[in-house]
């Protein structure tokens, strides 16, 4: 993080803090990230950091808000203007994968929050993000069944769970392999298998 971050206006400082958290999350266990490490990445003192965030939890909330807003905007943009529900689902899948590759700290942050036992505000925000994301997918599944693209017996909740789980599986495999590069390479083939599973059989 460049040293000029110490002179940023408040909103830009908050955005820079989120970027610093995601950069650190891509490099280490998010649960071990300290406010000292965040301040150091931004070339700030902890006191300067806490002038914009009253606590570490508030930093996490800001990070989750940023992730939710950007991810949903990205997938909505990808699906916009596509009449085919299957094409829209594929566009969402690929847009989600691209978002992860560009921000490899994001899935690590999400997994870290969901593993926490306590119901923190940040964890609740992750759960709300998954719910809102799922609503978009269920709508497309119902639309696909109505227009005849998807199997009439397809259960929307199960199709949605499998869609999200497929992305999560790709991410876990990439984390085990030590990098996100393979996610983008494998995504088209993986979605093709998913597509055959939910598509209407002739």
């Amino acid at each position: 993080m460049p040293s000029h971050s110490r002179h940023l206006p408040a909103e830009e400082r908050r955005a820079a803090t989120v970027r610093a958290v995601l950069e650190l999350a891509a490099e280490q266990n998010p649960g071990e990230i300290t406010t000292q490490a965040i301040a150091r990445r931004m070339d700030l003192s902890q006191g300067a950091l806490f002038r914009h965030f009253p606590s570490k939890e508030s930093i996490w909330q800001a990070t989750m808000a940023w992730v939710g807003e950007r991810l949903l905007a990205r997938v909505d943009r990808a699906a916009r203007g596509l009449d085919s529900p299957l094409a829209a689902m594929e566009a969402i899948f690929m847009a989600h994968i691209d978002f992860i590759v560009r921000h490899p700290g994001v899935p690590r942050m999400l997994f870290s929050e969901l593993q926490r036992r306590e119901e923190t505000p940040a964890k609740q925000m992750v759960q709300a993000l998954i719910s809102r994301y799922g609503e978009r997918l269920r709508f497309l599944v119902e639309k696909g069944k109505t227009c005849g693209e998807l199997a009439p017996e397809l259960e929307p909740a199960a199709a949605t769970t499998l869609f999200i789980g497929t992305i999560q599986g790709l991410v876990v495999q990439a984390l085990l392999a030590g990098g996100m590069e393979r996610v983008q390479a494998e995504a088209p083939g993986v979605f093709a298998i998913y597509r055959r599973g939910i598509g209407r059989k002739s």
Side-chain angles (χ1 to χ4, degrees):
M1 190 70 61
S3 60
H4 71 262
S5 64
R6 66 177 63 192
H7 304 298
L8 294 176
E11 281 306 307
E12 290 183 37
R13 171 70 55 74
R14 293 175 68 86
T17 304
V18 168
R19 288 195 298 272
V21 170
L22 292 177
E23 287 173 8
L24 289 166
E27 301 166 5
Q28 66 182 87
N29 179 354
E32 297 175 356
I33 297 173
T34 64
T35 53
Q36 183 179 13
I38 297 168
R40 189 183 306 118
R41 178 60 62 100
M42 299 175 68
D43 193 24
L44 296 173
S45 68
Q46 284 193 78
L49 181 62
F50 283 126
R51 281 199 290 274
H52 297 274
F53 295 94
S55 65
K56 180 179 175 180
E57 185 60 41
S58 67
I59 296 175
W60 257 232
Q61 290 180 55
T63 303
M64 291 302 103
W66 185 94
V67 169
E69 179 184 326
R70 298 302 193 285
L71 176 58
L72 292 178
R74 179 75 63 90
V75 300
D76 286 345
R77 200 161 51 242
R80 191 174 299 136
L82 296 176
D83 294 328
S84 161
L86 262 176
M89 292 177 75
E90 182 170 8
I92 287 174
F93 191 93
M94 297 307 169
H96 192 155
I97 294 296
D98 181 68
F99 184 80
I100 289 169
V101 171
R102 290 173 184 269
H103 306 287
V106 166
R108 296 172 65 94
M109 287 288 295
L110 297 182
F111 289 151
S112 177
E113 285 304 312
L114 290 174
Q115 289 177 59
R116 293 174 69 173
R117 288 182 134 188
E118 65 273 27
E119 285 297 319
T120 65
K123 180 178 179 180
Q124 291 169 354
M125 293 173 78
V126 174
Q127 292 167 332
L129 167 61
I130 294 171
S131 176
R132 292 167 64 194
Y133 191 103
E135 288 171 5
R136 287 159 167 77
L137 295 173
R138 285 190 292 275
F139 170 79
L140 290 171
V141 171
E142 293 286 9
K143 184 178 177 182
K145 290 170 65 175
T146 299
C147 75
E149 275 194 346
L150 302 183
E153 69 276 12
L154 185 64
E155 171 53 49
T160 296
T161 298
L162 184 58
F163 185 103
I164 295 172
T166 300
I167 293 175
Q168 291 171 338
L170 279 168
V171 170
V172 169
Q173 291 295 320
L175 290 173
L176 290 172
M180 289 292 168
E181 297 77 13
R182 64 180 292 174
V183 173
Q184 209 151 30
E186 294 180 2
V190 170
F191 186 84
I193 295 172
Y194 174 80
R195 180 177 183 138
R196 285 196 294 273
I198 66 172
R200 186 183 183 95
K201 307 301 183 286
S202 56

